[in-house]
Amino acid sequence: MYTIGIDLGGTNIVASVVDDDYNIIGTSKTPTNAPRSADEIFDDIADVCEEAVKAAGLTMEDMDSVGMGTPGTVNQDGIIEFANNLAFNNVPARTMLAKRINKPEEKVFIENDANCAALGEAYAGCGNGAKDFVAVTLGTGVGSGVNYAGGECGHMVIVVDGEQCSCGRKGCWEAYASATALIRQTKKAMEEYPDSLMHKLAKEEGKVSGRTAFDAMRLGDIAGIKVVDDYIKYVACGLINIVNALQPEIICIGGGICNEGETLMKPLRRFVQSERYSIHSKIQTKIVKAELGNDAGVIGAALLGKVK
């Protein structure tokens, strides 16, 4: 049995064909180019689905179901009620997608993208076997899935009257801990430190990315070190709040930033260890890197039809 998993992100749209053993056997990707109309974006979603199926050597008739993870709030009718990073309001995603790929609506499933990532990790990754766990995705925004269900932890405030978040509030964790926030923090530091190595690194890469500050830090650049230290503190602050509120067995960190590996994970564990409230609890939360990487979202989305 084959299913399609779609990861609709603020930066890219990815569709993959997944088999019963959670293997990806065909995939396709295109830029999201948000903000633009939902009709334009869903036309592209349908196209990448067709391309992924073709890459797998199959047809759409071979697909048992289609699942899609999206930023924002999704209701039981498959409507994206609000997705600030896509400028979506009450978009009938299930109906729009089903029509474009010629599948009945009962075979199309829509869920929050972080919940999909959590579902993927729960069944095929680092959460397998854990009773309670939280998946956090550091991407265009900050997504979170609590036991592969709801939980918009990215929009808890960590700095009162702080940075403006695209959701409308100020001081959200997402406004400080997302990859988007890291890039903004890097650019600000580059303005303050004109001699920083980050200028050279960004020029070589052709842009300022989430890697720029980390690469500069590894070269001993003072500005890069400051950006990374501050960013890790912001990420840790949100993690500590989650630990204190929920005490999960595992928090898995996904998204592109987690590719920094132990450079990111080690200090995060140190902060959580030193500042968590439940220092004597029998349950000590493990902070781990997501095992499925960027595939967690599409694998989890592909599983929606099997667990709904």
Side-chain angles (χ1 to χ4, degrees), residues 111-300:
E111 181 57 89
N112 171 267
D113 56 355
N115 295 347
C116 287
L119 180 61
E121 290 290 345
Y123 276 75
C126 66
N128 195 7
K131 181 180 179 181
D132 300 297
F133 84 106
V134 176
V136 174
T137 305
L138 306 177
T140 304
V142 172
S144 60
V146 181
N147 285 350
Y148 47 93
E152 286 290 344
C153 297
H155 297 290
M156 61 181 171
V157 169
I158 65 168
V159 179
V160 175
D161 293 328
E163 294 279 357
Q164 181 68 54
C165 182
S166 58
C167 76
R169 300 187 78 191
K170 289 185 176 181
C172 291
W173 191 27
E174 178 171 298
Y176 291 87
S178 64
T180 305
L182 174 58
I183 291 170
R184 185 180 67 249
Q185 293 156 13
T186 301
K187 290 179 177 178
K188 181 178 179 181
M190 289 170 66
E191 292 176 0
E192 295 173 353
Y193 295 85
D195 295 329
S196 169
L197 288 174
M198 292 190 290
H199 292 278
K200 178 183 178 182
L201 293 171
K203 185 176 181 180
E204 291 174 351
E205 188 178 353
K207 63 180 180 179
V208 177
S209 72
R211 296 187 299 271
T212 304
F214 278 91
D215 288 344
M217 175 271 296
R218 281 185 279 269
L219 294 171
D221 182 71
I222 293 175
I225 291 170
K226 184 179 186 304
V227 171
V228 171
D229 285 349
D230 288 345
Y231 176 74
I232 288 175
K233 287 177 183 178
Y234 290 134
V235 176
C237 180
L239 295 179
I240 293 162
N241 289 345
I242 292 172
V243 170
N244 287 347
L246 302 175
Q247 293 187 19
E249 291 179 40
I250 294 173
I251 298 179
C252 68
I253 311 295
I257 301 300
C258 78
N259 291 328
E260 294 296 335
E262 287 302 298
T263 303
L264 174 70
M265 305 305 296
K266 187 174 180 179
L268 286 179
R269 295 188 191 105
R270 185 174 65 247
F271 275 113
V272 172
Q273 179 74 14
S274 63
E275 295 193 23
R276 72 188 191 283
Y277 179 76
S278 54
I279 58 174
H280 299 301
S281 173
K282 293 181 179 179
I283 299 175
Q284 296 299 320
T285 302
K286 296 178 181 178
I287 311 296
V288 301
K289 177 184 174 183
E291 292 181 2
L292 302 180
N294 292 331
D295 293 335
V298 291
I299 292 174

Side-chain angles (χ1 to χ4, degrees), residues 73-152:
T73 305
V74 182
N75 67 25
Q76 292 182 344
D77 296 321
I79 295 172
I80 303 173
E81 295 178 339
F82 178 59
N84 52 290
N85 290 325
L86 297 172
F88 279 3
N89 286 282
N90 293 316
V91 172
R94 177 184 294 157
T95 300
M96 293 176 71
L97 181 56
K99 181 179 179 180
R100 282 167 170 79
I101 62 174
N102 197 28
K103 284 285 185 183
E105 289 192 26
E106 59 267 25
K107 288 292 186 177
V108 176
F109 303 87
I110 313 294
E111 181 57 89
N112 171 267
D113 56 355
N115 295 347
C116 287
L119 180 61
E121 290 290 345
Y123 276 75
C126 66
N128 195 7
K131 181 180 179 181
D132 300 297
F133 84 106
V134 176
V136 174
T137 305
L138 306 177
T140 304
V142 172
S144 60
V146 181
N147 285 350
Y148 47 93
E152 286 290 344

